Each structure stands twice: as structure tokens, then as C-alpha cells.
Amino acid sequence: MQQFANTRSREAYGAAPLSRRAALGLLALAAAPGWITDARASEEDGLSTEMILNDPADPQAGNARGDVTIVYFFDYNCPFCKKTMGPLNKAVKQDGEVRLVYKDWPILSSASIYGAKLALAAHYQGKYSDAHHAMMTIEGGRVPEDKMRKAVAGAGVDMVRLERDMKARDAEITALLRRHGAQADALGLAGTPVFLIGPFLVASALDEAGFRQVISDARERDSN
């Protein structure tokens, strides 16, 4: 099973976006891994490395055949997640060889759960990315449900179909959210955002240079 080298928590760095230099410092301080043991992980409970990296129900972006995978745990009411959206998207697009896996982890409010369900329901019509970006661009950390819904509707999502899919697929969507929560617990995550970048677990906001640096280090680690 793959193990993830841990970095310091977001709180240790004041939750500010990290520069390239700060990211280097984090990686130099990587602790001994051992987040998920074989005894706890299985395909059935969704805690295996395979399910964390390649759950077929998870929305993805970037290069599906990329040589580095970023697994992103986030909440639509997390202001630090919103700050990282631009830098993350730029780093993934400019690199061209990164696969991005989205893990909706709504832990901050009931509205966060509603937002996650909106986005995941939009995934059934191929509009996850549109819904995700629409909600991530809403300013603030206490976004109400009606504002999320308005943003998603304004992103070109078919709301009639979305409502239908939210109802018809509710059990599947709820199961996926529970799976994400179980994976976060097994990894020892304490809040959002969190990025699994290759073998590294980064529990902090990064700027574009920081993402590029960790991606580079992930490739270097993989080649050794």
C-alpha cells in the first residue's frame, strides 16, 4: 500500500498560501508515513490506496494518464480552498501531466453538504467542473444553499436534470460522501484543504509555485 509523507498542518503556517520556498521546507520536514495500514483498508470500505486514488465515482480533471496524481479534499465553505483554486488549476494546466481527483468532503456546515451534493449530481450530466468552479468562486466562508444553487444554475447546469439526479442518485451520492469522510479519517485529516500529491500529504494552502515544486518533488521521489 502506498504511504503518504506528511507535512506540517495548515495551522502551523497560519493557513496562508505557501510559497515555493515554504513548500520546500515542508517537504524537508516530511514525517515518517504510515497513514493507512493493510489491516484497516479494503476495497469494500473504500479505504484502500486504490480507492483513494482511483475510485471510479470520483470526478477528475487534468490529464487522465498523467504521471502525478493530486487527490484534493475540500469544502465549498472553506475560504482557504477557494484561495487555492486558481493556483491549483494553473499548475495542473501548465504542467499537462497531472491527474486531479476531487474529494468533496463537506465538514463545515449543512450548506457544505448541499453544495457537495449539487456538484456530484451535476457530474451525471458532465457538469461537475462547472458546478465546482461556480461554487468555489463565491466569496466568503458561510455561503447559504440558495446562493450555491444560484451559482450552479448560472454556470450552465441543467437544473431540471440536476434535481432529478439529486433525488434518483441520492443513495450513490451519499455513499460517496461517506466514503470520502472515511478516507479522510483514515488519513488523519483535521480540516481542509488537503492535497495528496504523489507520496506527499500537504495539509495547507499552496500558491502556484508551491504546487509546481511539490509536483516536481513527487516525480523525483517516484523515479528513485
Side-chain angles (χ1 to χ4, degrees):
M1 169 162 304
Q2 179 174 345
Q3 297 174 321
F4 299 99
N6 188 27
T7 67
R8 288 188 178 183
S9 68
R10 178 178 68 192
E11 290 77 7
Y13 290 86
L18 297 182
S19 64
R20 178 180 181 277
R21 187 172 184 178
L24 280 169
L26 285 176
L27 294 174
L29 291 167
W35 293 98
I36 306 178
T37 64
D38 290 332
R40 295 178 60 189
S42 73
E43 297 297 331
E44 291 184 2
D45 58 24
L47 299 182
S48 67
T49 300
E50 176 63 22
M51 287 298 286
I52 291 174
L53 298 177
N54 299 302
D55 188 329
D58 285 337
Q60 296 184 26
N63 186 341
R65 298 183 179 181
D67 61 349
V68 172
T69 294
I70 297 178
V71 178
Y72 175 29
F73 288 84
F74 63 91
D75 185 300
Y76 288 113
N77 270 312
C78 167
F80 303 107
C81 299
K82 294 177 181 181
K83 287 182 179 180
T84 64
M85 184 180 73
L88 174 62
N89 290 341
K90 288 180 181 178
V92 170
K93 183 178 181 179
Q94 291 179 4
D95 184 279
E97 294 295 332
V98 174
R99 182 175 70 102
L100 177 60
V101 178
Y102 294 104
K103 297 282 186 181
D104 290 82
W105 186 32
I107 58 175
L108 296 178
S109 71
S110 59
S112 298
I113 297 173
Y114 179 76
K117 288 188 173 184
L118 281 177
L120 292 171
H123 187 40
Y124 291 102
Q125 57 179 280
K127 292 286 188 176
Y128 177 88
S129 181
D130 299 271
H132 173 83
H133 287 95
M135 287 187 282
M136 277 297 186
T137 55
I138 304 173
E139 295 184 359
R142 296 182 178 179
V143 182
E145 294 181 6
D146 60 337
K147 198 168 184 178
M148 290 182 179
R149 180 181 174 81
K150 184 177 180 180
V152 170
V157 176
D158 182 339
M159 299 304 288
V160 173
R161 178 175 175 181
L162 183 141
E163 288 287 355
R164 185 169 65 246
D165 287 335
M166 281 186 75
K167 293 179 180 179
R169 307 277 191 165
D170 182 67
E172 296 173 28
I173 293 171
T174 299
L176 180 59
L177 291 176
R178 288 176 177 168
R179 200 149 65 240
H180 291 170
Q183 291 167 354
D185 288 343
L187 288 164
L189 308 188
T192 55
V194 173
F195 306 91
L196 307 181
I197 305 177
F200 299 110
L201 188 159
V202 182
S204 185
L206 293 174
D207 62 12
E208 185 181 347
F211 279 117
R212 289 200 304 265
Q213 183 61 54
V214 184
I215 290 168
S216 175
D217 287 335
R219 286 197 176 101
E220 183 178 351
R221 174 72 71 91
D222 188 55
S223 65
N224 292 334

